[in-house]
Structures are given as structure tokens and as C-alpha cells.
Amino acid sequence: AQTVTQSQPEMSVQEAETVTLSCTYDTSENNYYLFWYKQPPSRQMILVIRQEAYKQQNATENRFSVNFQKAAKSFSLKISDSQLGDTAMYFCAFMKHENSNYQLIWGAGTKLIIKP
Amino acid sequence: DAGVTQSPTHLIKTRGQQVTLRCSPKSGHDTVSWYQQALGQGPQFIFQYYEEEERQRGNFPDRFSGHQFPNYSSELNVNALLLGDSALYLCASSLGLGGEQYFGPGTRLTVT
């Protein structure tokens, strides 16, 4: 069974700083996707960034980038120039992509607080 | 273009009662997935519907059932409610089973 672990329950940084959120996962699959989702107090789960396991290049979306280490089964999220609006729960999620099994498996989340 | 919508926003029920939660997918999407998110935890997959059939199911008892309608909207039914069913219920829609999932705002269910 796949598992996703987020070892940082809470992190806090000053506005404009860079912060890295950690995520590790366990799977024997070779074809899968990894995601970072943001859940602000409004509760709406918003996709931040996704990474296909077959791609070696790390995904980037504006201020958000990942460090994907497939052999180490590590998938960290870096937020550059952090903003107050980045304050939220961040969830790492895994989806294997074969045999019609497309359920998302989630970590427990990291609460990120951006201080002014 | 409307995103994923869920109703109701909040719901309070008593132990033993039954509840129905509703989800309308994003325009153009044909697949709906349901997740349970207990307070302070990550979501847990309940089940996924495609072509009006349950395609996958997570580790949830038969008290949890669902339905998908021809217009792709979906319902989640929970029978014989327990205190432990109190959670945020999230609906996500996608184009196809493996498509990117877009989430609704959730329904907060409180069982007393």
C-alpha cells in the first residue's frame, strides 16, 4: 500500500522568505503522479503543483517549485518570496496511474504560517 | 464557468440518522470522487464514480454509498451516522478517471 508522510506539522516564516515543505512517500509503483495541494481557511482544496514520476525535470509554477527525488521517494515543495496569502494547510498527495486505480492518497498536512 | 459545487455547506445530524450530500462537477467533467477529511487530518478517499458506476472504493463501510446521475452530478449517502462520521466531506471532479481533480468547498457534517 502507498503511504505519504509529511514530517512537519507546522512551519512559520517571515513574509518574503523562502520555505521548503517536506514530503516522502512509499510505493512499489513506477508510474505515478505527485501533487501539492493548498487548503486555506476557506477549506477549498487548490492544486499548487503536480509532478509526473517519469519526468526527471522538477515542476515549477511561478514562486512554487518542487525537488523530486524518485530514488529517495522524496517530493519537497519550495515557496519563494512567500506572501501572506500563502498561509494555509499544505498537503502532499500521491496517485498511481495504472490499472484504473486513480485515488489520491494524502499526507497529514503541514500548517504554513507567513508572518508579516 | 462554474467550478465544483457542493451542498449543503454545513449540516448537523444526530447519531443513527441518515444524510445525503450533493456535488455538481465542474463543467465538462464526467468523474466525481468523494473524500472524508477529519479535523486536523488529510483527506481519505471514499469512492469514485464514472459513467454512473462506482469504479473504486476506499476503506469505508457499506454505510457509505453513492450515486452518479446522467448529468454527472453525484450524491454521497451515509446511513446510521456515528459520532466519528463528523468531518469535512470533499467532492472532486475530473475529466476521466485519471484526470486532474478539482475540488469543491466541502460540506461540514457534524454528528451529535
Side-chain angles (χ1 to χ4, degrees), chain B residues 39-99:
Chain B
L39 194 62
Q41 298 182 23
Q44 298 289 319
F45 174 76
I46 303 175
F47 42 52
Q48 184 178 59
Y49 277 85
Y50 174 70
E51 293 185 335
E52 301 180 49
E53 290 186 9
E54 182 183 294
R55 298 293 179 155
Q56 290 184 74
R57 188 179 185 91
N59 189 24
F60 279 80
D62 292 344
R63 298 188 297 108
F64 289 77
S65 63
H67 189 77
Q68 185 178 35
F69 299 95
N71 67 353
Y72 308 120
S73 67
S74 177
E75 288 183 349
L76 164 64
N77 301 292
V78 187
N79 295 321
L81 284 167
L82 303 174
L83 294 179
D85 295 332
S86 294
L88 178 67
Y89 288 84
L90 296 169
C91 167
S93 73
S94 59
L95 179 59
L97 290 168

Side-chain angles (χ1 to χ4, degrees), chain A residues 10-21 38 63-64 79-90 111-116:
Chain A
E10 184 171 322
M11 295 189 71
S12 179
V13 298
Q14 295 292 139
E15 190 177 10
E17 289 184 347
T18 294
V19 60
T20 299
L21 308 183
K38 167 185 177 180
R63 299 183 294 109
F64 299 87
I79 305 174
S80 304
D81 186 26
S82 58
Q83 301 174 0
L84 297 179
D86 295 333
T87 293
M89 285 292 295
Y90 285 81
K111 183 178 182 180
L112 177 63
I113 299 170
I114 308 299
K115 297 180 290 186

Side-chain angles (χ1 to χ4, degrees), chain A residues 39 43-44 47 101-102 106, chain B residues 37 43 56 97 100 103 106:
Chain A
Q39 188 177 40
R43 310 181 325 203
Q44 185 108 28
L47 179 64
N101 187 345
Y102 300 113
W106 302 75
Chain B
Q37 186 179 17
Q56 290 184 74
L97 290 168
E100 181 176 317
F103 284 80

Side-chain angles (χ1 to χ4, degrees), chain A residues 44, chain B residues 2-7 22-26 34 73-74 91 93 102-107:
Chain A
Q44 185 108 28
Chain B
V4 181
T5 60
Q6 292 185 243
S7 63
R22 295 176 176 82
C23 172
S24 291
K26 179 180 169 64
W34 286 92
S73 67
S74 177
C91 167
S93 73
Y102 290 76
F103 284 80
T107 293

Side-chain angles (χ1 to χ4, degrees), chain A residues 12-44:
Chain A
S12 179
V13 298
Q14 295 292 139
E15 190 177 10
E17 289 184 347
T18 294
V19 60
T20 299
L21 308 183
S22 301
C23 173
T24 58
Y25 59 96
D26 186 25
T27 184
S28 58
E29 305 293 332
N30 193 50
N31 187 18
Y32 54 88
Y33 287 69
L34 293 163
F35 306 85
W36 278 99
Y37 280 88
K38 167 185 177 180
Q39 188 177 40
S42 66
R43 310 181 325 203
Q44 185 108 28

